[in-house]
Amino acid sequence: MTTPEGPKPVRILFSEDAIRRRVEELARQISSDYAGKGEVLLVGVLKGAFIFLADLCRKMTVPRRVDFIAVSSYGDKTVSSGNVRLVLDLRGDIAGRHVLVVEDIVDTGSTFSYLLELLRLRGPASVKTCAFLRKEKGGPPVDYVGFEIADEWVVGYGLDYADAYRALPHIAVLQVNG
Ligand code: 5GP
């Protein structure tokens, strides 16, 4: 992995082991909530959710499929522009299906709000949300959350800074000043 110039990860917030245990719990809870409802379509929000989604879907026990969508709002910055743009759409139709949107982290909630509005127009049977991390400062309600965190920029387990650090096995805090 190349290490970019600029801020570096300085403190581990969640170890690989803690992440594995929490993802297993989430997968159990989600599988129990969807049991008997038919297939769930997991919609991963690229790029950040790719590792979380891969782990989550392998631990779930109900029938499931996977699709991806990509949006952009941060560019190479650590502050949301608030302007969410669709970069890549789903491959499949979601009409009549149970959709679970899977994000890496919820900050202001603009990404989820945008996606929920977009997906609901397509007539799914249901749409729920799942985020590996959620910043405690507020934002919209999320159906399934891995961990609540303070308002710091975190990297690893799929989450990046300027596209770096996604492959770290743990979640670490980035030192933005210094
Ligand atoms: P929101 O739309 O909720 O403000 O932001 C959600 C998106 O912002 C996430 O999917 C992620 O791409 C990015 N984001 C927000 N906070 C962080 C963070 O602390 N670290 C990283 N790597 N991405 C973040």
Side-chain angles (χ1 to χ4, degrees), residues 112-161:
F112 261 157
S113 305
Y114 171 86
L115 287 174
L116 290 181
E117 200 173 317
L118 180 83
L119 297 178
R120 281 186 180 132
L121 291 173
R122 300 179 183 181
S126 68
V127 188
K128 282 187 168 190
T129 50
C130 174
F132 179 61
L133 301 172
R134 179 174 183 271
K135 291 193 179 167
E136 283 162 348
K137 63 183 183 189
V142 178
D143 296 297
Y144 303 98
V145 175
F147 298 103
E148 303 269 355
I149 64 164
D151 190 12
E152 299 177 297
W153 194 264
V154 291
V155 295
Y157 197 60
L159 289 94
D160 74 314
Y161 170 72

mmCIF file of all heavy atoms in Angstrom, residues 112-161:
data_model
loop_
_atom_site.group_PDB
_atom_site.id
_atom_site.type_symbol
_atom_site.label_atom_id
_atom_site.label_comp_id
_atom_site.label_asym_id
_atom_site.label_seq_id
_atom_site.Cartn_x
_atom_site.Cartn_y
_atom_site.Cartn_z
ATOM 1 N N PHE A 112 -27.381 9.145 2.420
ATOM 2 C CA PHE A 112 -28.536 8.267 2.650
ATOM 3 C C PHE A 112 -29.826 8.943 2.184
ATOM 4 O O PHE A 112 -30.669 8.308 1.545
ATOM 5 C CB PHE A 112 -28.642 7.891 4.128
ATOM 6 C CG PHE A 112 -28.080 6.520 4.439
ATOM 7 C CD1 PHE A 112 -27.652 6.217 5.723
ATOM 8 C CD2 PHE A 112 -28.004 5.530 3.474
ATOM 9 C CE1 PHE A 112 -27.137 4.959 6.029
ATOM 10 C CE2 PHE A 112 -27.484 4.268 3.774
ATOM 11 C CZ PHE A 112 -27.059 3.984 5.048
ATOM 12 N N SER A 113 -30.014 10.239 2.516
ATOM 13 C CA SER A 113 -31.249 10.932 2.119
ATOM 14 C C SER A 113 -31.403 10.900 0.609
ATOM 15 O O SER A 113 -32.477 10.591 0.080
ATOM 16 C CB SER A 113 -31.235 12.393 2.547
ATOM 17 O OG SER A 113 -31.010 12.481 3.891
ATOM 18 N N TYR A 114 -30.304 11.195 -0.088
ATOM 19 C CA TYR A 114 -30.332 11.222 -1.544
ATOM 20 C C TYR A 114 -30.689 9.835 -2.095
ATOM 21 O O TYR A 114 -31.545 9.680 -2.955
ATOM 22 C CB TYR A 114 -28.955 11.667 -2.064
ATOM 23 C CG TYR A 114 -28.784 11.528 -3.546
ATOM 24 C CD1 TYR A 114 -29.205 12.534 -4.413
ATOM 25 C CD2 TYR A 114 -28.200 10.383 -4.098
ATOM 26 C CE1 TYR A 114 -29.058 12.395 -5.786
ATOM 27 C CE2 TYR A 114 -28.044 10.246 -5.465
ATOM 28 C CZ TYR A 114 -28.474 11.250 -6.291
ATOM 29 O OH TYR A 114 -28.328 11.102 -7.659
ATOM 30 N N LEU A 115 -30.016 8.805 -1.554
ATOM 31 C CA LEU A 115 -30.231 7.447 -2.068
ATOM 32 C C LEU A 115 -31.635 6.936 -1.754
ATOM 33 O O LEU A 115 -32.273 6.292 -2.594
ATOM 34 C CB LEU A 115 -29.186 6.487 -1.490
ATOM 35 C CG LEU A 115 -27.783 6.656 -2.060
ATOM 36 C CD1 LEU A 115 -26.802 5.750 -1.321
ATOM 37 C CD2 LEU A 115 -27.761 6.345 -3.559
ATOM 38 N N LEU A 116 -32.127 7.247 -0.559
ATOM 39 C CA LEU A 116 -33.467 6.771 -0.188
ATOM 40 C C LEU A 116 -34.512 7.384 -1.113
ATOM 41 O O LEU A 116 -35.422 6.698 -1.587
ATOM 42 C CB LEU A 116 -33.779 7.111 1.268
ATOM 43 C CG LEU A 116 -32.985 6.326 2.308
ATOM 44 C CD1 LEU A 116 -33.385 6.719 3.714
ATOM 45 C CD2 LEU A 116 -33.162 4.821 2.118
ATOM 46 N N GLU A 117 -34.365 8.673 -1.388
ATOM 47 C CA GLU A 117 -35.317 9.342 -2.282
ATOM 48 C C GLU A 117 -35.276 8.709 -3.676
ATOM 49 O O GLU A 117 -36.307 8.393 -4.270
ATOM 50 C CB GLU A 117 -34.936 10.824 -2.358
ATOM 51 C CG GLU A 117 -36.066 11.712 -2.820
ATOM 52 C CD GLU A 117 -35.689 13.185 -2.706
ATOM 53 O OE1 GLU A 117 -35.096 13.576 -1.667
ATOM 54 O OE2 GLU A 117 -35.944 13.914 -3.675
ATOM 55 N N LEU A 118 -34.064 8.479 -4.158
ATOM 56 C CA LEU A 118 -33.878 7.896 -5.497
ATOM 57 C C LEU A 118 -34.469 6.480 -5.571
ATOM 58 O O LEU A 118 -35.205 6.133 -6.490
ATOM 59 C CB LEU A 118 -32.374 7.844 -5.785
ATOM 60 C CG LEU A 118 -31.936 7.269 -7.114
ATOM 61 C CD1 LEU A 118 -32.032 8.358 -8.189
ATOM 62 C CD2 LEU A 118 -30.497 6.751 -7.048
ATOM 63 N N LEU A 119 -34.156 5.647 -4.571
ATOM 64 C CA LEU A 119 -34.552 4.229 -4.632
ATOM 65 C C LEU A 119 -36.051 4.054 -4.399
ATOM 66 O O LEU A 119 -36.677 3.181 -4.998
ATOM 67 C CB LEU A 119 -33.728 3.405 -3.633
ATOM 68 C CG LEU A 119 -32.216 3.388 -3.900
ATOM 69 C CD1 LEU A 119 -31.477 2.592 -2.843
ATOM 70 C CD2 LEU A 119 -31.902 2.823 -5.294
ATOM 71 N N ARG A 120 -36.633 4.885 -3.533
ATOM 72 C CA ARG A 120 -38.073 4.745 -3.245
ATOM 73 C C ARG A 120 -38.923 5.021 -4.489
ATOM 74 O O ARG A 120 -40.011 4.461 -4.625
ATOM 75 C CB ARG A 120 -38.481 5.671 -2.098
ATOM 76 C CG ARG A 120 -38.083 5.066 -0.763
ATOM 77 C CD ARG A 120 -38.594 5.868 0.416
ATOM 78 N NE ARG A 120 -38.179 5.234 1.661
ATOM 79 C CZ ARG A 120 -37.618 5.868 2.686
ATOM 80 N NH1 ARG A 120 -37.419 7.166 2.629
ATOM 81 N NH2 ARG A 120 -37.271 5.204 3.764
ATOM 82 N N LEU A 121 -38.427 5.858 -5.382
ATOM 83 C CA LEU A 121 -39.163 6.148 -6.626
ATOM 84 C C LEU A 121 -39.271 4.920 -7.521
ATOM 85 O O LEU A 121 -40.079 4.878 -8.439
ATOM 86 C CB LEU A 121 -38.444 7.252 -7.422
ATOM 87 C CG LEU A 121 -38.471 8.657 -6.823
ATOM 88 C CD1 LEU A 121 -37.579 9.594 -7.626
ATOM 89 C CD2 LEU A 121 -39.910 9.174 -6.815
ATOM 90 N N ARG A 122 -38.450 3.896 -7.255
ATOM 91 C CA ARG A 122 -38.407 2.710 -8.123
ATOM 92 C C ARG A 122 -39.289 1.569 -7.624
ATOM 93 O O ARG A 122 -39.202 0.452 -8.128
ATOM 94 C CB ARG A 122 -36.956 2.234 -8.270
ATOM 95 C CG ARG A 122 -36.080 3.322 -8.882
ATOM 96 C CD ARG A 122 -34.644 2.873 -9.016
ATOM 97 N NE ARG A 122 -33.800 3.939 -9.533
ATOM 98 C CZ ARG A 122 -32.506 3.823 -9.770
ATOM 99 N NH1 ARG A 122 -31.908 2.670 -9.541
ATOM 100 N NH2 ARG A 122 -31.819 4.833 -10.243
ATOM 101 N N GLY A 123 -40.112 1.855 -6.606
ATOM 102 C CA GLY A 123 -41.113 0.891 -6.152
ATOM 103 C C GLY A 123 -40.618 -0.372 -5.464
ATOM 104 O O GLY A 123 -41.178 -1.458 -5.676
ATOM 105 N N PRO A 124 -39.613 -0.267 -4.568
ATOM 106 C CA PRO A 124 -39.190 -1.464 -3.831
ATOM 107 C C PRO A 124 -40.258 -1.868 -2.815
ATOM 108 O O PRO A 124 -41.086 -1.041 -2.418
ATOM 109 C CB PRO A 124 -37.919 -0.995 -3.106
ATOM 110 C CG PRO A 124 -38.121 0.472 -2.930
ATOM 111 C CD PRO A 124 -38.891 0.948 -4.133
ATOM 112 N N ALA A 125 -40.233 -3.139 -2.365
ATOM 113 C CA ALA A 125 -41.167 -3.579 -1.323
ATOM 114 C C ALA A 125 -40.822 -2.874 -0.012
ATOM 115 O O ALA A 125 -41.712 -2.513 0.759
ATOM 116 C CB ALA A 125 -41.072 -5.096 -1.156
ATOM 117 N N SER A 126 -39.530 -2.666 0.252
ATOM 118 C CA SER A 126 -39.087 -1.932 1.445
ATOM 119 C C SER A 126 -37.668 -1.427 1.203
ATOM 120 O O SER A 126 -36.944 -1.996 0.378
ATOM 121 C CB SER A 126 -39.100 -2.839 2.681
ATOM 122 O OG SER A 126 -38.102 -3.832 2.583
ATOM 123 N N VAL A 127 -37.310 -0.365 1.915
ATOM 124 C CA VAL A 127 -35.914 0.107 1.887
ATOM 125 C C VAL A 127 -35.475 0.381 3.320
ATOM 126 O O VAL A 127 -36.144 1.123 4.042
ATOM 127 C CB VAL A 127 -35.721 1.429 1.098
ATOM 128 C CG1 VAL A 127 -34.235 1.742 0.949
ATOM 129 C CG2 VAL A 127 -36.373 1.391 -0.246
ATOM 130 N N LYS A 128 -34.387 -0.253 3.729
ATOM 131 C CA LYS A 128 -33.807 0.012 5.043
ATOM 132 C C LYS A 128 -32.351 0.411 4.867
ATOM 133 O O LYS A 128 -31.768 0.215 3.787
ATOM 134 C CB LYS A 128 -33.895 -1.224 5.931
ATOM 135 C CG LYS A 128 -35.275 -1.467 6.532
ATOM 136 C CD LYS A 128 -35.139 -2.608 7.521
ATOM 137 C CE LYS A 128 -36.310 -2.806 8.405
ATOM 138 N NZ LYS A 128 -35.983 -3.781 9.467
ATOM 139 N N THR A 129 -31.765 0.935 5.965
ATOM 140 C CA THR A 129 -30.392 1.425 5.882
ATOM 141 C C THR A 129 -29.502 0.732 6.918
ATOM 142 O O THR A 129 -29.939 0.423 8.015
ATOM 143 C CB THR A 129 -30.361 2.945 6.146
ATOM 144 O OG1 THR A 129 -31.087 3.222 7.337
ATOM 145 C CG2 THR A 129 -30.949 3.732 4.998
ATOM 146 N N CYS A 130 -28.252 0.527 6.513
ATOM 147 C CA CYS A 130 -27.270 -0.074 7.406
ATOM 148 C C CYS A 130 -25.954 0.673 7.199
ATOM 149 O O CYS A 130 -25.526 0.870 6.060
ATOM 150 C CB CYS A 130 -27.099 -1.554 7.043
ATOM 151 S SG CYS A 130 -25.791 -2.388 7.957
ATOM 152 N N ALA A 131 -25.349 1.124 8.299
ATOM 153 C CA ALA A 131 -24.055 1.814 8.196
ATOM 154 C C ALA A 131 -23.092 1.174 9.180
ATOM 155 O O ALA A 131 -23.452 0.932 10.336
ATOM 156 C CB ALA A 131 -24.205 3.296 8.506
ATOM 157 N N PHE A 132 -21.881 0.919 8.742
ATOM 158 C CA PHE A 132 -20.884 0.358 9.643
ATOM 159 C C PHE A 132 -20.582 1.339 10.782
ATOM 160 O O PHE A 132 -20.510 0.956 11.941
ATOM 161 C CB PHE A 132 -19.616 -0.002 8.864
ATOM 162 C CG PHE A 132 -18.542 -0.551 9.741
ATOM 163 C CD1 PHE A 132 -18.740 -1.706 10.462
ATOM 164 C CD2 PHE A 132 -17.335 0.114 9.877
ATOM 165 C CE1 PHE A 132 -17.763 -2.202 11.314
ATOM 166 C CE2 PHE A 132 -16.346 -0.372 10.713
ATOM 167 C CZ PHE A 132 -16.566 -1.535 11.437
ATOM 168 N N LEU A 133 -20.457 2.633 10.440
ATOM 169 C CA LEU A 133 -20.183 3.661 11.447
ATOM 170 C C LEU A 133 -21.182 4.798 11.314
ATOM 171 O O LEU A 133 -21.708 5.051 10.224
ATOM 172 C CB LEU A 133 -18.775 4.242 11.252
ATOM 173 C CG LEU A 133 -17.600 3.271 11.321
ATOM 174 C CD1 LEU A 133 -16.312 3.989 10.916
ATOM 175 C CD2 LEU A 133 -17.458 2.694 12.723
ATOM 176 N N ARG A 134 -21.429 5.478 12.423
ATOM 177 C CA ARG A 134 -22.278 6.668 12.375
ATOM 178 C C ARG A 134 -21.683 7.701 13.316
ATOM 179 O O ARG A 134 -21.364 7.385 14.457
ATOM 180 C CB ARG A 134 -23.700 6.305 12.809
ATOM 181 C CG ARG A 134 -24.667 7.453 12.821
ATOM 182 C CD ARG A 134 -26.060 6.922 13.120
ATOM 183 N NE ARG A 134 -27.043 7.968 13.084
ATOM 184 C CZ ARG A 134 -27.386 8.728 14.133
ATOM 185 N NH1 ARG A 134 -26.804 8.533 15.300
ATOM 186 N NH2 ARG A 134 -28.304 9.657 14.017
ATOM 187 N N LYS A 135 -21.545 8.924 12.824
ATOM 188 C CA LYS A 135 -21.012 9.983 13.694
ATOM 189 C C LYS A 135 -22.116 10.448 14.630
ATOM 190 O O LYS A 135 -23.238 10.699 14.200
ATOM 191 C CB LYS A 135 -20.453 11.117 12.840
ATOM 192 C CG LYS A 135 -19.199 10.651 12.105
ATOM 193 C CD LYS A 135 -18.392 11.761 11.481
ATOM 194 C CE LYS A 135 -17.165 11.170 10.809
ATOM 195 N NZ LYS A 135 -16.463 12.096 9.929
ATOM 196 N N GLU A 136 -21.751 10.542 15.921
ATOM 197 C CA GLU A 136 -22.756 10.798 16.962
ATOM 198 C C GLU A 136 -23.378 12.177 16.877
ATOM 199 O O GLU A 136 -24.347 12.452 17.571
ATOM 200 C CB GLU A 136 -22.100 10.676 18.354
ATOM 201 C CG GLU A 136 -21.887 9.254 18.787
ATOM 202 C CD GLU A 136 -20.871 9.156 19.920
ATOM 203 O OE1 GLU A 136 -20.178 10.158 20.207
ATOM 204 O OE2 GLU A 136 -20.748 8.067 20.496
ATOM 205 N N LYS A 137 -22.781 13.058 16.059
ATOM 206 C CA LYS A 137 -23.239 14.455 16.095
ATOM 207 C C LYS A 137 -24.665 14.642 15.584
ATOM 208 O O LYS A 137 -25.215 15.717 15.681
ATOM 209 C CB LYS A 137 -22.293 15.317 15.275
ATOM 210 C CG LYS A 137 -22.270 14.957 13.809
ATOM 211 C CD LYS A 137 -21.254 15.825 13.081
ATOM 212 C CE LYS A 137 -21.288 15.525 11.605
ATOM 213 N NZ LYS A 137 -20.206 16.152 10.882
ATOM 214 N N GLY A 138 -25.280 13.640 15.058
ATOM 215 C CA GLY A 138 -26.659 13.807 14.578
ATOM 216 C C GLY A 138 -26.886 13.005 13.323
ATOM 217 O O GLY A 138 -26.490 11.858 13.270
ATOM 218 N N GLY A 139 -27.480 13.630 12.336
ATOM 219 C CA GLY A 139 -27.763 12.911 11.112
ATOM 220 C C GLY A 139 -29.057 12.137 11.241
ATOM 221 O O GLY A 139 -29.680 12.117 12.304
ATOM 222 N N PRO A 140 -29.476 11.475 10.184
ATOM 223 C CA PRO A 140 -30.777 10.816 10.159
ATOM 224 C C PRO A 140 -30.742 9.486 10.915
ATOM 225 O O PRO A 140 -29.669 8.943 11.159
ATOM 226 C CB PRO A 140 -30.980 10.555 8.670
ATOM 227 C CG PRO A 140 -29.592 10.365 8.156
ATOM 228 C CD PRO A 140 -28.700 11.239 8.980
ATOM 229 N N PRO A 141 -31.912 8.963 11.280
ATOM 230 C CA PRO A 141 -31.929 7.628 11.882
ATOM 231 C C PRO A 141 -31.457 6.589 10.867
ATOM 232 O O PRO A 141 -31.708 6.743 9.669
ATOM 233 C CB PRO A 141 -33.403 7.401 12.235
ATOM 234 C CG PRO A 141 -34.176 8.540 11.683
ATOM 235 C CD PRO A 141 -33.230 9.552 11.125
ATOM 236 N N VAL A 142 -30.759 5.578 11.367
ATOM 237 C CA VAL A 142 -30.266 4.504 10.501
ATOM 238 C C VAL A 142 -30.762 3.199 11.127
ATOM 239 O O VAL A 142 -30.714 3.044 12.349
ATOM 240 C CB VAL A 142 -28.718 4.533 10.438
ATOM 241 C CG1 VAL A 142 -28.177 3.397 9.593
ATOM 242 C CG2 VAL A 142 -28.228 5.868 9.888
ATOM 243 N N ASP A 143 -31.272 2.267 10.311
ATOM 244 C CA ASP A 143 -31.864 1.047 10.869
ATOM 245 C C ASP A 143 -30.839 0.160 11.575
ATOM 246 O O ASP A 143 -31.122 -0.395 12.626
ATOM 247 C CB ASP A 143 -32.577 0.268 9.758
ATOM 248 C CG ASP A 143 -33.748 1.058 9.191
ATOM 249 O OD1 ASP A 143 -34.680 1.321 9.961
ATOM 250 O OD2 ASP A 143 -33.720 1.448 8.005
ATOM 251 N N TYR A 144 -29.662 -0.006 10.985
ATOM 252 C CA TYR A 144 -28.626 -0.852 11.588
ATOM 253 C C TYR A 144 -27.304 -0.102 11.594
ATOM 254 O O TYR A 144 -26.856 0.357 10.534
ATOM 255 C CB TYR A 144 -28.447 -2.146 10.787
ATOM 256 C CG TYR A 144 -29.724 -2.945 10.640
ATOM 257 C CD1 TYR A 144 -30.494 -2.849 9.484
ATOM 258 C CD2 TYR A 144 -30.160 -3.788 11.657
ATOM 259 C CE1 TYR A 144 -31.675 -3.575 9.344
ATOM 260 C CE2 TYR A 144 -31.328 -4.520 11.527
ATOM 261 C CZ TYR A 144 -32.085 -4.400 10.370
ATOM 262 O OH TYR A 144 -33.251 -5.120 10.242
ATOM 263 N N VAL A 145 -26.691 0.031 12.793
ATOM 264 C CA VAL A 145 -25.412 0.749 12.916
ATOM 265 C C VAL A 145 -24.401 -0.156 13.610
ATOM 266 O O VAL A 145 -24.711 -0.765 14.638
ATOM 267 C CB VAL A 145 -25.587 2.045 13.747
ATOM 268 C CG1 VAL A 145 -24.246 2.732 13.972
ATOM 269 C CG2 VAL A 145 -26.545 3.007 13.062
ATOM 270 N N GLY A 146 -23.193 -0.228 13.050
ATOM 271 C CA GLY A 146 -22.133 -1.010 13.675
ATOM 272 C C GLY A 146 -21.625 -0.334 14.937
ATOM 273 O O GLY A 146 -21.766 -0.852 16.039
ATOM 274 N N PHE A 147 -21.067 0.857 14.772
ATOM 275 C CA PHE A 147 -20.527 1.609 15.912
ATOM 276 C C PHE A 147 -20.847 3.097 15.733
ATOM 277 O O PHE A 147 -20.807 3.611 14.615
ATOM 278 C CB PHE A 147 -18.995 1.511 15.961
ATOM 279 C CG PHE A 147 -18.454 0.126 16.147
ATOM 280 C CD1 PHE A 147 -17.924 -0.571 15.067
ATOM 281 C CD2 PHE A 147 -18.436 -0.477 17.399
ATOM 282 C CE1 PHE A 147 -17.383 -1.845 15.227
ATOM 283 C CE2 PHE A 147 -17.899 -1.749 17.573
ATOM 284 C CZ PHE A 147 -17.380 -2.435 16.492
ATOM 285 N N GLU A 148 -21.120 3.766 16.862
ATOM 286 C CA GLU A 148 -21.246 5.230 16.870
ATOM 287 C C GLU A 148 -19.857 5.796 17.174
ATOM 288 O O GLU A 148 -19.168 5.281 18.064
ATOM 289 C CB GLU A 148 -22.192 5.679 17.992
ATOM 290 C CG GLU A 148 -23.586 5.085 17.929
ATOM 291 C CD GLU A 148 -24.555 5.945 17.135
ATOM 292 O OE1 GLU A 148 -24.155 7.055 16.718
ATOM 293 O OE2 GLU A 148 -25.683 5.487 16.934
ATOM 294 N N ILE A 149 -19.463 6.844 16.470
ATOM 295 C CA ILE A 149 -18.132 7.433 16.728
ATOM 296 C C ILE A 149 -18.236 8.954 16.859
ATOM 297 O O ILE A 149 -19.232 9.554 16.435
ATOM 298 C CB ILE A 149 -17.106 7.083 15.615
ATOM 299 C CG1 ILE A 149 -17.530 7.682 14.263
ATOM 300 C CG2 ILE A 149 -16.892 5.595 15.503
ATOM 301 C CD1 ILE A 149 -16.397 7.712 13.247
ATOM 302 N N ALA A 150 -17.178 9.543 17.433
ATOM 303 C CA ALA A 150 -17.124 11.006 17.547
ATOM 304 C C ALA A 150 -16.883 11.613 16.163
ATOM 305 O O ALA A 150 -16.639 10.896 15.193
ATOM 306 C CB ALA A 150 -16.003 11.386 18.503
ATOM 307 N N ASP A 151 -16.918 12.928 16.104
ATOM 308 C CA ASP A 151 -16.777 13.608 14.815
ATOM 309 C C ASP A 151 -15.303 13.738 14.424
ATOM 310 O O ASP A 151 -14.714 14.813 14.519
ATOM 311 C CB ASP A 151 -17.453 14.981 14.900
ATOM 312 C CG ASP A 151 -17.545 15.620 13.529
ATOM 313 O OD1 ASP A 151 -17.304 14.919 12.525
ATOM 314 O OD2 ASP A 151 -17.843 16.825 13.461
ATOM 315 N N GLU A 152 -14.708 12.622 14.030
ATOM 316 C CA GLU A 152 -13.309 12.603 13.588
ATOM 317 C C GLU A 152 -13.274 11.906 12.236
ATOM 318 O O GLU A 152 -14.169 11.112 11.939
ATOM 319 C CB GLU A 152 -12.451 11.793 14.573
ATOM 320 C CG GLU A 152 -12.433 12.367 15.971
ATOM 321 C CD GLU A 152 -11.629 11.501 16.946
ATOM 322 O OE1 GLU A 152 -12.012 10.355 17.186
ATOM 323 O OE2 GLU A 152 -10.626 12.001 17.448
ATOM 324 N N TRP A 153 -12.218 12.154 11.443
ATOM 325 C CA TRP A 153 -12.100 11.482 10.152
ATOM 326 C C TRP A 153 -11.439 10.125 10.366
ATOM 327 O O TRP A 153 -10.348 10.048 10.933
ATOM 328 C CB TRP A 153 -11.303 12.312 9.155
ATOM 329 C CG TRP A 153 -11.476 11.780 7.757
ATOM 330 C CD1 TRP A 153 -10.647 10.932 7.100
ATOM 331 C CD2 TRP A 153 -12.573 12.041 6.884
ATOM 332 N NE1 TRP A 153 -11.166 10.632 5.856
ATOM 333 C CE2 TRP A 153 -12.345 11.301 5.697
ATOM 334 C CE3 TRP A 153 -13.745 12.818 6.976
ATOM 335 C CZ2 TRP A 153 -13.236 11.331 4.612
ATOM 336 C CZ3 TRP A 153 -14.619 12.835 5.902
ATOM 337 C CH2 TRP A 153 -14.361 12.102 4.740
ATOM 338 N N VAL A 154 -12.120 9.075 9.956
ATOM 339 C CA VAL A 154 -11.572 7.730 10.168
ATOM 340 C C VAL A 154 -11.272 7.050 8.832
ATOM 341 O O VAL A 154 -11.904 7.348 7.811
ATOM 342 C CB VAL A 154 -12.525 6.855 11.017
ATOM 343 C CG1 VAL A 154 -12.580 7.345 12.448
ATOM 344 C CG2 VAL A 154 -13.925 6.810 10.412
ATOM 345 N N VAL A 155 -10.308 6.141 8.877
ATOM 346 C CA VAL A 155 -9.896 5.411 7.676
ATOM 347 C C VAL A 155 -9.736 3.930 8.014
ATOM 348 O O VAL A 155 -9.664 3.545 9.173
ATOM 349 C CB VAL A 155 -8.560 5.951 7.110
ATOM 350 C CG1 VAL A 155 -8.697 7.384 6.613
ATOM 351 C CG2 VAL A 155 -7.435 5.858 8.149
ATOM 352 N N GLY A 156 -9.651 3.122 6.961
ATOM 353 C CA GLY A 156 -9.456 1.680 7.113
ATOM 354 C C GLY A 156 -10.757 0.932 6.899
ATOM 355 O O GLY A 156 -11.833 1.536 6.854
ATOM 356 N N TYR A 157 -10.664 -0.393 6.742
ATOM 357 C CA TYR A 157 -11.828 -1.254 6.542
ATOM 358 C C TYR A 157 -12.718 -0.698 5.418
ATOM 359 O O TYR A 157 -13.928 -0.642 5.521
ATOM 360 C CB TYR A 157 -12.600 -1.396 7.858
ATOM 361 C CG TYR A 157 -13.563 -2.567 7.883
ATOM 362 C CD1 TYR A 157 -13.114 -3.883 7.709
ATOM 363 C CD2 TYR A 157 -14.930 -2.360 8.061
ATOM 364 C CE1 TYR A 157 -13.998 -4.945 7.714
ATOM 365 C CE2 TYR A 157 -15.822 -3.426 8.078
ATOM 366 C CZ TYR A 157 -15.352 -4.714 7.900
ATOM 367 O OH TYR A 157 -16.222 -5.773 7.907
ATOM 368 N N GLY A 158 -12.075 -0.239 4.344
ATOM 369 C CA GLY A 158 -12.810 0.294 3.190
ATOM 370 C C GLY A 158 -12.870 1.800 3.137
ATOM 371 O O GLY A 158 -13.077 2.390 2.078
ATOM 372 N N LEU A 159 -12.677 2.456 4.286
ATOM 373 C CA LEU A 159 -12.792 3.921 4.315
ATOM 374 C C LEU A 159 -11.442 4.558 3.979
ATOM 375 O O LEU A 159 -10.395 4.061 4.390
ATOM 376 C CB LEU A 159 -13.256 4.409 5.695
ATOM 377 C CG LEU A 159 -14.708 4.109 6.033
ATOM 378 C CD1 LEU A 159 -14.828 2.821 6.802
ATOM 379 C CD2 LEU A 159 -15.306 5.247 6.837
ATOM 380 N N ASP A 160 -11.507 5.674 3.266
ATOM 381 C CA ASP A 160 -10.276 6.256 2.710
ATOM 382 C C ASP A 160 -9.991 7.661 3.205
ATOM 383 O O ASP A 160 -10.832 8.321 3.798
ATOM 384 C CB ASP A 160 -10.401 6.326 1.188
ATOM 385 C CG ASP A 160 -11.353 7.446 0.756
ATOM 386 O OD1 ASP A 160 -12.453 7.558 1.357
ATOM 387 O OD2 ASP A 160 -10.998 8.221 -0.145
ATOM 388 N N TYR A 161 -8.770 8.095 2.890
ATOM 389 C CA TYR A 161 -8.470 9.528 2.831
ATOM 390 C C TYR A 161 -7.811 9.719 1.473
ATOM 391 O O TYR A 161 -6.758 9.113 1.211
ATOM 392 C CB TYR A 161 -7.520 9.972 3.955
ATOM 393 C CG TYR A 161 -7.042 11.378 3.734
ATOM 394 C CD1 TYR A 161 -7.912 12.453 3.922
ATOM 395 C CD2 TYR A 161 -5.764 11.643 3.264
ATOM 396 C CE1 TYR A 161 -7.512 13.747 3.663
ATOM 397 C CE2 TYR A 161 -5.353 12.939 3.001
ATOM 398 C CZ TYR A 161 -6.228 13.979 3.199
ATOM 399 O OH TYR A 161 -5.832 15.272 2.929
#
